[in-house]
Amino acid sequence: MSAAAENGTGAQDLVWSAQDTTPGEVDSALRQMLGELHARDSAYVPGRVLNLVSVVDREWSGEVANRMRRVGRFHPSRTIVCAVEPGRTTLDARATIAVPGPSRGGAPAVARELIVLTCGARHLEHLDRLVDPLVVTDLATVVWSPHGHPEAVRSVLPLAQVVLLDSVDAATPADAIARARELSQDVYVVDLAWLRTTPWRERIAATFDPPWGRAELATLDRVVVRHHPESTMAGLLFVGWLASRLGWEPSGLVASGKGLEGRAHARRQDVAIRLEVDPTMQVRGLAGVELGSAGGRTLSYDRGPGGLRARYAHRRGTEREWTIMGASRGEAGILGEGIRQALLRDPTYRPALDAAAALVG
């Protein structure tokens, strides 16, 4: 049955729901609602940029919904949530067309579509049969399964062009790297652990962009990365990025104290590498980076209010500090950035991932 629901913007969303239904019935209901939407006001148009297929445990679906509400303008055009309920054998569905508000002066008002399929674990191996009739053809399709369910991802993979994952969720960094490399053979991978390092990579690249800085890169002989206790992968990917961009040959890191350490072979000298856990970090990602050179220079970056706090020191006694403006997007914005990246292509991720593979041996 379909109905209208007030959404707080002065417009009414269109809602349809059914129990023990089929994907074909859901598709028919969506088509009917889109017709009703256009009849209400021809300025209302459905978004047609990206499909997102999300596989979640139903008991945690509220948490995922909260994360989706914070993606802002990077919200997918059509989101298909497969909420997995243990023991379920039938399919329930709820479809919503969210209307942003009354159109003004005939300007297009873009609506978003959300489909929630409540299914059972028995459906996951053949989830493509549920999803295929519901994705908008000729649009990029992203698969995101934050609670695991690799069999579901494997089933839907032929329909997708992008897999969104967070490699810090894997049991070990080695498992995370193996999974990301396997998926990369068939689709483009967007890794939230990699995106958490973006502000650090951008600002460090900018620091060394002047000609004098580029020459200094060749003399680096020490890298120290401090990270959240759950973000070893972010540290590995950051070091992997440095290694792949600077032509280092990394070797396996070994456990030492509360971190990992090892070496990479550069053109002029070896580079000492250390990853350290920072237990004071409240959010996933990096806490600080320190780069040292054979010439006695040290450049460090640490999280701080409004951006990264940078410090330069030379063993001869020269020191200075400054703030590099621009803070991290934080966990509230990282999912939205992941969805945006699904429409882009970052050529530096896969080389960094391969270098990280060498770091874990």
Side-chain angles (χ1 to χ4, degrees), residues 72-306:
R73 62 192 178 95
F74 300 131
H75 206 289
S77 305
R78 177 174 287 188
T79 302
I80 304 168
V81 178
C82 302
V84 184
E85 184 179 278
R88 172 176 282 272
T89 59
T90 58
L91 183 71
D92 292 353
R94 179 182 175 89
T96 303
I97 298 181
V99 181
S103 62
R104 298 181 179 181
V110 180
R112 299 193 303 266
E113 299 151 288
L114 170 64
I115 306 165
V116 179
L117 303 176
T118 305
C119 60
R122 64 188 296 270
H123 295 103
L124 296 184
E125 288 190 7
H126 305 288
L127 195 63
D128 57 321
R129 299 176 186 176
L130 303 184
V131 171
D132 193 11
L134 301 177
V135 295
V136 181
T137 56
D138 299 325
L139 297 185
T141 296
V142 182
V143 179
W144 179 44
S145 187
H147 302 142
H149 304 299
E151 70 277 25
V153 175
R154 185 165 53 248
S155 173
V156 179
L157 210 56
L159 306 175
Q161 292 76 47
V162 183
V163 170
L164 178 66
L165 57 81
D166 193 344
S167 58
V168 304
D169 291 332
T172 67
D175 291 340
I177 292 170
R179 177 64 171 160
R181 295 178 85 186
E182 177 187 8
L183 290 169
S184 295
Q185 297 176 10
D186 299 310
V187 293
Y188 179 64
V189 172
V190 175
D191 189 344
L192 300 187
W194 170 251
L195 297 184
R196 291 187 186 97
T197 71
T198 299
W200 303 82
R201 291 184 282 111
E202 289 177 343
R203 287 157 180 79
I204 288 173
T207 299
F208 286 97
D209 187 58
W212 65 264
R214 299 179 199 181
E216 190 75 9
L217 285 171
T219 70
L220 292 180
D221 65 356
R222 184 177 74 260
V223 177
V224 179
V225 180
R226 294 183 293 105
H227 57 83
H228 182 274
E230 297 178 2
S231 290
T232 301
M233 266 304 299
L236 288 168
L237 288 170
F238 175 81
V239 175
W241 169 72
L242 282 175
S244 62
R245 302 304 292 171
L246 299 178
W248 299 348
E249 297 177 6
S251 56
L253 304 181
V254 297
S256 175
K258 295 183 179 181
L260 300 170
E261 63 179 27
R263 307 189 76 81
H265 181 66
R267 292 183 176 90
R268 296 185 181 179
Q269 67 280 316
D270 283 352
V271 181
I273 298 170
R274 180 165 180 79
L275 271 60
E276 298 178 350
V277 173
D278 184 346
T280 66
M281 275 281 290
Q282 300 298 311
V283 295
R284 289 174 169 178
L286 304 186
V289 172
E290 181 180 305
L291 305 175
S293 73
R297 299 174 178 85
T298 299
L299 188 61
S300 61
Y301 308 82
D302 295 280
R303 280 182 179 266

Side-chain angles (χ1 to χ4, degrees), residues 341-361:
Q341 287 290 329
L343 298 173
L344 307 174
R345 291 296 181 268
D346 185 344
T348 64
Y349 171 68
R350 183 56 196 264
L353 184 65
D354 291 340
L359 290 168
V360 300

